[in-house]
Amino acid sequence: MDHIVIIGNGIAGVTAARHIRKLSDKKITIISGESEHFWSRTALMYIYMGHLKYEHTKPYEDWFWKKNRIDLVQDWVKSIDFSEKKCILESGEAIEYSQLIIATGSTTKFHGWRGQESKAVVGMVSLQDLEQIEKYAQNNDVCKNAVLVGGGLIGVELAEMLHTRKIPVTFLVREKGFWAGTLPQQSADLISREIASHGINLLHEEELAEIFSDESGKVSSVKTKSGKILPCDFLGICSGVKPNIDWLKNTPLDCDEGILVDRFLKTNQENVYAIGDCAQQREAVRERKSVEAVWYTGRMMGETVAQTICNNPTEWNPGIWFNSAKFFNIEYQTYGRVWNKPKEENSHYHWECETGKRAMDIEFSTSNRKVVGINTFGIRMKHNVWDHWLNSEKTIDFTIENLEKACFDPEFNKTPLQKIKLHFSKS
Amino acid sequence: MGAIQNDMSLSGQPPVALNALQKIGTALGITGLTVLLLAAFNINLPENPIWFWIAFFAMITGVLVFTYGQYKGTEAGIKNDGVMFKAMTSRGFVAWVLGIALTVFYIILYWFPNLLGVVEGGKNTGVVSLFDPLSEKLTGGPSSQWFVYGVLYTLAILLFGIKFIWKYRHNRYEIIRTCSVMFFQLCFAFMIPNIMGALSMPSYDLKNIWPLNYDLFSGRLEEFTNFGSIGTIMLIFGLLSIFVITPILTYKYGKRWYCSWVCGCGGLAETAGDPYRHLSDKRMVAWKIERWVVHSVVVFVTVMTVAMVYSFIKNKESESIGPWNNFEKNIVFVSERDGTPLAERGKKAAEAGASRFIYVDREGNGDNISFENMGSIGIPFHIISYNENAQVIKQIEEGVQGTLLLAGAPRQEIVVEAETGGKVYDDVWLDKGLFIWLVVTLLTLVFGWAMIFRREQLAKDAKLAAISYFTILISLLLYNHLNNTGTLFLFPGYQLHKVYGFLIGAVFSGVIGVGFYPIFGSRVWCRFGCPMAAILGFQQRLFSRFRITTNGGQCISCGNCSTYCEMGIDVRAYAQKGENIVRSSCVGCGICSAVCPRGVLKLENGPLKNRINSNEILLGNDIDLMNYVNK
């Protein structure tokens, strides 16, 4: 019988396992060193904030795996013998596979700062990272000052986390506004204001230059590129993640930034696939990045590879882009593409509520007014409606006119759709 | 993950520590409770009314100051920081202390009210007497343990309702819903029944619908029927509530219209119980237990009610005549031969002021019937036939003059003067045979409808349970009725009523339901025990416009929705598949939607078509959602 071995129990690997089980009777083994069971890495912040316990983040009860005949092995894979089709575990055990799926996710990207190996310099990706955060940022006695580097989605989560324990946070952001490499400037400014309003010391256009540690080897202060020295008991590295593939270096597996895969998610090794954050498309699909460290991408790749493995070869061909996040109290959703600066042939429409808690960006073609993408802040939108509108190339005038149909805010909510319409008609 | 240990010491670290205002609030609240406790120990507090108001205002300001301390200066948004760290909300020591204290309170309330100072027929003492002044003002009578309970219960819903609104002030659904719950508790559950009681009407919480109000058609039938037209209107309203109003509203809005907008149990769970909502058991096994237990309670309450009504309409209404009747020279007509000797009933009628006591033979012509000791009742006694006097009885009832034709030979007549008036007993139109057939028809219709039109939505165990319960009930009903055994369900109705009242009415809904809030979460009763919720849920699952819609592929499986679902529904299991949530237990509190960080969940009323979309629409490859949208 075929033995499918999956390295990594994140959303990509687990989705692949579930779908292979649905489609076939193959033997399935998931190996993970990080945790015994699948848990939602997206919920990491909620554990630290005390909204959830670790067990709440497990989407399936522990009996699920046995019932669905998915074997779990908790160990780190040390190496892979591609010719013998074997995974060698740290315990020394070898697991043979007929087909191997590598879904090892991401790891924190360190940029080679001097002093980056100091203690209390931590990313936020894994359960082990969370343990480090708990240790070095347990409370505001242990951690009198925290510094975060990198204005992205992980950074804002970490800022919110530390804020719940009343730890003073200084947040270094390279751009002029928060996440301004992705968000249009006005929206980036709105998020910057939201973050600052929670007492976070947000320093724009600042980057980390050097890390200093005390005699115990623990970070004590950091220097920014502009020369500021900031006291620091905890340094959160949130300036990006990279595929977790260091352990695969110097193997026959063809890697670049990530593990290189074709459209069928196959690597250069026979019967070896790579999915999720750790995979890199040899050729990017349309406008998408070749490496996408996104929950949804991991899930969809898992679904795709399961088809291929179960004798229905299927190309990775993602639909309309979508994503979401939450910046303190402001929810963010996006459908299609809104670039931070409109593409050459496109324009941006921006609306913002006077409360500074709600906003909307639409990118559309200047010539034929067809919508390319939408960002909403503090307004929930229906995925299926926007997917349909973007697929059928609706104009901005049509979408604004029909905004009610796409609204997903809770009942009785005072959604400012009329305000948006009025504003749009005057713009 | 044992490695992470949060510091639970007294050093007081955010977000666990209380701030100064919260400490002051706690002190005030505890002071208020201490006054009540002292009173409960029968320590004689001088100047009773003053102490009552001290306790009253200490509790009110305590909760409000605490709330202010907790939420002042915070931005509108989710406020669950540290919930899993605080001893109070994560089954720590104080949670156990509170749980046990509440449980003990309920045990005393239900079975040892004398410990609270209730004195039957005398002046109250203890904590109950502390509430006498307020009771005098509201109801015109002395307080009782239930009055004390009602005041505290209402106070809890109002005060913690304010706290809840503050906490969820970013969500208008929560604000409006909570205002509704506070309104119904204050007016319908507390003020109106107390005022009705003051007017010596049967006090009745109009929103308390059978089977939650299991006494409506069983224990209290006589109280209502004895109360003339108002009583009848109340009974009719009660019947309309369960058979007409409830199904219509549940069809339109789901069971939330009741469970989280109107109901008092739900009201307490949503307000005072809110900090414990995440403690509900989310495991699959808990769901299985829930389905068996709650539906068995429905069967139990149905059996009990049918048995009680059946024994009542055995035409023994006249057995209830007693000093509470005020006949004022009325003529009393009775028709029931079985039961307590007629002479006894006659005596009671006489004591209550009746001028004549008349037996109406509804089957024959009144001949060959005799009763013993009728001479001893103290007022004239006659036997008449119904057929000969139907019209006259009606006239007399209305206070018009009439002539009654007595049975026996030689035929005699009695002239009843105008204004005399009459009271007719044992004339319930509903004959026991008819009643049984009505019940059988109703049960068969419901069972048949579900089995024929909704069979594809019923799980295997649900079908099995439904078929076995249905078969057993109907066979027992028909067998016992046709063989005239007198007891429909092996035990007499009043015994079933007593057991139900003890097990379900007191132990389950009170002791376990509220006492265990800090341990099992706030909706244990609503989820595992409430037959009303089960009936509404049955309809919500099979015939309602309500559903929780999920938003395409946006779910990140974080688990906030499932964790904060007070009914223990694994919301995430549906959301991560892109499936709508249509569950009988969902009370529509809306918290899953509120705590979702990605805007995935929305409570909605919509068309029945495609309400349950079990197709996975998340597929990433060429997700062709167009077909889905265009449906």
Side-chain angles (χ1 to χ4, degrees):
Chain A
M1 188 170 43
D2 272 3
H3 184 195
I4 314 295
V5 173
I6 300 167
I7 307 177
N9 68 355
I11 181 66
V14 162
T15 307
R18 279 179 45 242
H19 283 262
I20 293 169
R21 175 52 70 242
K22 270 190 191 173
L23 299 165
S24 77
D25 227 15
K26 299 176 199 287
K27 179 172 162 65
I28 303 171
T29 303
I30 300 179
I31 309 170
S32 167
E34 185 187 2
S35 63
E36 186 184 355
H37 297 106
F38 169 43
W39 66 286
S40 290
R41 275 70 178 174
T42 47
L44 202 143
M45 64 183 296
Y46 299 109
I47 303 176
Y48 177 89
M49 298 201 298
H51 294 204
L52 305 176
K53 288 183 176 167
Y54 166 67
E55 55 260 34
H56 296 125
T57 67
K58 292 195 262 187
Y60 304 100
E61 284 185 57
D62 293 350
W63 51 258
F64 174 88
W65 309 101
K66 196 166 183 189
K67 189 182 169 225
N68 289 289
R69 290 171 292 119
I70 297 172
D71 297 337
L72 305 177
V73 174
Q74 191 178 2
D75 202 345
W76 300 96
V77 177
K78 210 166 71 182
S79 60
I80 303 169
D81 185 335
F82 293 104
S83 55
E84 295 287 315
K85 295 171 94 175
K86 262 192 244 177
C87 295
I88 318 295
L89 307 185
E90 271 193 357
S91 65
E93 194 191 339
I95 297 181
E96 284 184 36
Y97 62 82
S98 349
Q99 274 151 321
L100 177 70
I101 301 172
I102 304 175
T104 50
S106 291
T107 182
T108 303
K109 196 195 277 180
F110 288 86
H111 293 267
W113 297 288
R114 196 185 305 161
Q116 69 181 23
E117 62 292 334
S118 308
K119 288 181 202 158
V121 177
V122 184
M124 193 182 76
V125 174
S126 66
L127 214 47
Q128 285 71 29
D129 289 338
L130 179 64
E131 285 173 9
Q132 294 289 305
I133 299 170
E134 270 291 343
K135 183 175 171 190
Y136 293 112
Q138 191 187 45
N139 54 50
N140 53 15
D141 287 334
V142 172
C143 178
K144 297 200 161 47
N145 292 288
V147 176
L148 306 180
V149 184
L153 299 183
I154 292 182
V156 72
E157 286 185 0
L158 195 47
E160 186 177 352
M161 286 160 64
L162 299 170
H163 179 66
T164 63
R165 300 206 188 171
K166 300 194 165 50
I167 294 171
V169 176
T170 303
F171 199 168
L172 309 183
V173 174
R174 190 175 56 193
E175 291 83 10
K176 267 188 191 161
F178 189 80
W179 212 27
T182 304
L183 299 177
Q185 191 61 43
Q186 285 165 300
S187 298
D189 292 342
L190 177 124
I191 301 302
S192 285
R193 288 196 298 273
E194 169 75 4
I195 294 170
S197 78
H198 285 82
I200 307 294
N201 181 22
L202 193 57
L203 302 181
H204 288 120
E205 297 181 273
E206 275 286 19
E207 287 182 69
L208 179 64
E210 195 175 348
I211 302 161
F212 305 104
S213 52
D214 60 18
E215 59 280 4
S216 70
K218 186 170 164 288
V219 61
S220 57
S221 62
V222 297
K223 193 168 122 186
T224 68
K225 282 205 174 154
S226 71
K228 278 195 192 102
I229 303 281
L230 302 166
C232 173
D233 304 305
F234 173 88
L235 178 61
I237 305 295
C238 317
S239 50
V241 293
K242 59 172 190 180
N244 178 18
I245 57 161
D246 285 352
W247 60 286
L248 287 165
K249 285 222 170 102
N250 307 319
T251 66
L253 193 67
D254 196 4
C255 294
D256 175 35
E257 192 193 341
I259 303 166
L260 288 164
V261 294
D262 63 14
R263 287 293 289 270
F264 291 94
L265 305 169
K266 281 183 180 156
T267 67
N268 70 328
Q269 297 296 309
E270 195 71 11
N271 293 315
V272 179
Y273 300 81
I275 56 172
D277 290 12
C278 68
Q280 180 182 352
Q281 300 294 317
R282 285 181 188 276
E283 282 167 49
V285 182
R286 296 188 297 274
E287 288 163 323
R288 298 177 85 113
K289 289 180 185 162
S290 57
V291 176
E292 275 179 8
V294 178
W295 172 268
Y296 311 114
T297 301
R299 191 191 67 217
M300 297 191 292
M301 282 186 173
E303 290 163 351
T304 308
V305 78
Q307 294 289 336
T308 304
I309 283 178
C310 297
N311 304 321
N312 175 27
T314 304
E315 281 196 3
W316 163 240
N317 184 25
I320 301 276
W321 170 260
F322 67 96
N323 202 358
S324 64
K326 196 172 178 188
F327 307 103
F328 281 85
N329 287 321
I330 298 183
E331 286 176 20
Y332 156 75
Q333 291 186 338
T334 188
Y335 301 103
R337 287 294 190 177
V338 180
W339 309 98
N340 58 342
K341 294 197 175 68
K343 294 267 174 199
E344 209 167 297
E345 64 278 19
N346 293 347
S347 309
H348 273 178
Y349 165 69
H350 178 84
W351 171 84
E352 196 171 315
C353 182
E354 65 279 0
T355 59
K357 298 287 181 191
R358 287 165 158 171
M360 177 182 278
D361 294 308
I362 294 181
E363 179 154 338
F364 61 101
S365 158
T366 318
S367 54
N368 59 21
R369 301 184 66 79
K370 281 175 183 165
V371 174
V372 179
I374 179 169
N375 288 339
T376 58
F377 300 87
I379 305 169
R380 294 176 174 182
M381 286 283 148
K382 277 186 188 160
H383 188 176
N384 53 7
V385 171
W386 272 106
D387 198 82
H388 172 53
W389 284 354
L390 291 165
N391 262 321
S392 50
E393 302 190 313
K394 297 285 191 235
T395 63
I396 183 168
D397 312 276
F398 173 89
T399 55
I400 298 268
E401 180 65 37
N402 290 281
L403 220 43
E404 289 86 4
K405 288 181 188 152
C407 184
F408 201 66
D409 272 347
E411 291 162 299
F412 302 114
N413 242 38
K414 284 189 172 160
T415 305
L417 300 181
Q418 291 312 318
K419 283 186 195 171
I420 296 172
K421 286 183 179 183
L422 196 68
H423 179 264
F424 179 72
S425 68
K426 286 177 182 166
S427 68
Chain B
M1 199 175 58
I4 294 175
Q5 283 292 323
N6 284 289
D7 186 357
M8 301 296 276
S9 71
L10 291 172
S11 56
Q13 289 162 350
V16 181
L18 298 179
N19 60 32
L21 277 170
Q22 286 176 296
K23 285 173 187 161
I24 295 171
T26 308
L28 278 167
I30 297 291
T31 308
L33 282 174
T34 309
V35 173
L36 297 188
L37 199 66
L38 286 177
F41 283 123
N42 267 323
I43 290 168
N44 209 4
L45 299 167
E47 303 287 343
N48 250 347
I50 289 174
W51 283 105
F52 171 75
W53 293 112
I54 288 175
F56 196 70
F57 285 111
M59 288 189 295
I60 292 175
T61 45
V63 176
L64 295 180
V65 168
F66 186 94
T67 305
Y68 181 69
Q70 191 166 6
Y71 301 129
K72 83 173 154 83
T74 61
E75 268 199 47
I78 293 305
K79 308 253 175 296
N80 288 332
D81 293 343
V83 164
M84 300 295 167
F85 305 147
K86 293 174 188 162
M88 190 56 150
T89 53
S90 59
R91 301 190 181 125
F93 178 70
V94 281
W96 278 95
V97 169
L98 179 64
I100 291 167
L102 283 169
T103 306
V104 169
F105 169 72
Y106 272 94
I107 290 172
I108 293 174
L109 180 74
Y110 280 111
W111 297 294
F112 308 102
N114 55 319
L115 292 180
L116 295 173
V118 174
V119 178
E120 294 279 347
K123 200 176 161 356
N124 289 328
T125 60
V127 68
V128 175
S129 71
L130 205 58
F131 283 69
D132 277 342
L134 184 65
S135 179
E136 295 283 353
K137 276 206 179 73
L138 279 174
T139 68
S143 169
S144 68
Q145 79 271 33
W146 297 117
F147 183 79
V148 174
Y149 181 56
V151 172
L152 294 178
Y153 197 102
T154 307
L155 208 57
I157 288 185
L158 294 180
L159 293 173
F160 291 105
I162 292 170
K163 181 165 178 272
F164 184 90
I165 288 173
W166 212 330
K167 179 175 173 185
Y168 291 98
R169 63 187 185 274
H170 60 294
N171 189 313
R172 278 187 89 225
Y173 178 76
E174 298 305 337
I175 295 173
I176 296 170
R177 182 174 70 75
T178 307
C179 290
S180 165
V181 153
M182 290 159 74
F183 166 79
F184 278 103
Q185 175 62 30
L186 180 63
C187 298
F188 280 65
F190 186 70
M191 293 307 289
I192 296 177
N194 273 326
I195 291 168
M196 286 166 94
L199 300 172
S200 10
M201 298 201 296
S203 69
Y204 176 25
D205 176 356
L206 291 167
K207 68 175 175 57
N208 207 355
I209 300 169
W210 185 90
L212 185 58
N213 183 359
Y214 60 93
D215 263 351
L216 186 57
F217 302 122
S218 42
R220 301 182 61 192
L221 258 181
E222 294 172 15
E223 195 185 326
F224 285 115
T225 47
N226 286 351
F227 206 77
S229 50
I230 293 180
T232 315
I233 289 170
M234 286 179 184
L235 261 187
I236 290 170
F237 182 76
L239 282 166
L240 282 178
S241 296
I242 186 64
F243 289 116
V244 182
I245 300 171
T246 296
I248 291 175
L249 288 173
T250 310
Y251 169 71
K252 287 180 83 111
Y253 308 112
K255 80 194 225 189
R256 55 182 171 155
W257 76 268
Y258 191 75
C259 294
S260 62
W261 284 71
V262 171
C263 178
C265 312
L268 193 71
E270 292 293 344
T271 52
D274 172 67
Y276 305 110
R277 58 171 55 249
H278 57 284
L279 298 174
S280 59
D281 195 333
K282 313 301 190 300
R283 290 172 304 159
M284 179 75 85
V285 62
W287 183 18
K288 285 192 176 144
I289 295 170
E290 163 199 321
R291 284 149 46 118
W292 276 100
V293 174
V294 78
H295 293 110
S296 299
V297 175
V298 175
V299 172
F300 191 2
V301 77
T302 309
V303 162
M304 184 272 285
T305 308
V306 169
M308 284 295 282
V309 176
Y310 184 78
S311 64
F312 176 75
I313 57 173
K314 271 168 70 191
N315 301 349
K316 281 189 189 165
E317 198 192 348
S318 54
E319 285 188 340
S320 69
I321 293 173
W324 44 85
N325 296 104
N326 190 3
F327 290 131
E328 294 180 358
K329 301 282 172 204
N330 289 162
I331 298 176
V332 172
F333 300 91
V334 301
S335 301
E336 179 55 54
R337 254 184 285 184
D338 299 333
T340 52
L342 203 65
E344 257 176 54
R345 284 179 258 167
K347 255 182 228 165
K348 286 193 175 148
E351 282 162 17
S355 58
R356 285 174 192 275
F357 192 64
I358 296 180
Y359 179 80
V360 184
D361 184 3
R362 287 177 184 267
E363 279 142 24
N365 57 9
D367 293 340
N368 307 323
I369 298 178
S370 60
F371 298 97
E372 290 176 359
N373 299 327
M374 292 315 290
S376 66
I377 67 172
I379 48 173
F381 170 73
H382 317 281
I383 297 175
I384 62 175
S385 102
Y386 180 73
N387 292 337
E388 292 169 342
N389 295 285
Q391 188 56 37
V392 186
I393 294 174
K394 217 167 242 165
Q395 287 173 9
I396 296 171
E397 252 191 304
E398 287 162 9
V400 182
Q401 186 202 20
T403 306
L404 289 167
L405 186 62
L406 303 189
R411 304 302 295 263
Q412 289 178 331
E413 287 181 349
I414 300 172
V415 179
V416 180
E417 287 173 19
E419 308 286 308
T420 307
K423 284 279 183 307
V424 181
Y425 285 88
D426 312 329
D427 64 337
V428 179
W429 61 273
L430 194 60
D431 156 74
K432 55 186 167 183
L434 183 62
F435 173 69
I436 292 298
W437 288 112
L438 273 177
V439 171
V440 170
T441 313
L442 187 70
L443 291 180
T444 312
L445 280 177
V446 172
F447 176 79
W449 174 80
M451 282 297 167
I452 293 166
F453 296 106
R454 292 291 187 272
R455 66 176 172 279
E456 74 284 0
Q457 294 182 26
L458 298 174
K460 211 198 261 171
D461 62 339
K463 279 185 205 160
L464 193 74
I467 292 170
S468 28
Y469 269 137
F470 179 76
T471 318
I472 294 170
L473 282 193
I474 297 291
S475 352
L476 274 176
L477 262 179
L478 292 182
Y479 175 84
N480 287 309
H481 176 60
L482 296 176
N483 290 295
N484 226 344
T485 56
T487 49
L488 285 179
F489 299 103
L490 312 174
F491 300 98
Y494 73 90
Q495 263 187 20
L496 291 172
H497 181 256
K498 220 168 125 183
V499 174
Y500 186 90
F502 174 77
L503 275 184
I504 310 296
V507 174
F508 210 149
S509 78
V511 178
I512 298 176
V514 180
F516 287 25
Y517 265 18
I519 308 303
F520 296 136
S522 50
R523 286 277 196 175
V524 171
W525 157 249
C526 312
R527 181 184 176 194
F528 293 95
C530 177
M532 171 89 183
I535 290 177
L536 296 178
F538 172 78
Q539 199 195 329
Q540 168 163 289
R541 177 68 182 74
L542 300 178
F543 188 63
S544 165
R545 291 163 52 81
F546 174 70
R547 88 289 309 272
I548 302 177
T549 314
T550 55
N551 199 7
Q554 288 281 22
C555 177
I556 53 167
S557 303
C558 68
N560 274 292
C561 52
S562 293
T563 304
Y564 287 92
C565 176
E566 55 190 351
M567 296 304 280
I569 298 171
D570 190 359
V571 184
R572 166 175 55 191
Y574 301 84
Q576 66 192 0
K577 287 193 275 183
E579 208 176 300
N580 287 350
I581 295 126
V582 179
R583 277 280 291 269
S584 38
S585 62
C586 175
V587 291
C589 69
I591 296 297
C592 57
S593 163
V595 297
C596 176
R598 293 293 189 271
V600 174
L601 301 159
K602 183 180 182 190
L603 281 66
E604 280 188 276
N605 311 309
L608 292 183
K609 200 181 167 223
N610 290 332
R611 189 169 76 114
I612 305 169
N613 59 333
S614 43
N615 53 324
E616 291 205 16
I617 56 150
L618 292 176
L619 281 172
N621 284 300
D622 301 318
I623 11 177
D624 197 9
L625 292 172
M626 282 166 79
N627 297 334
Y628 176 72
V629 178
N630 292 334
K631 248 178 212 167

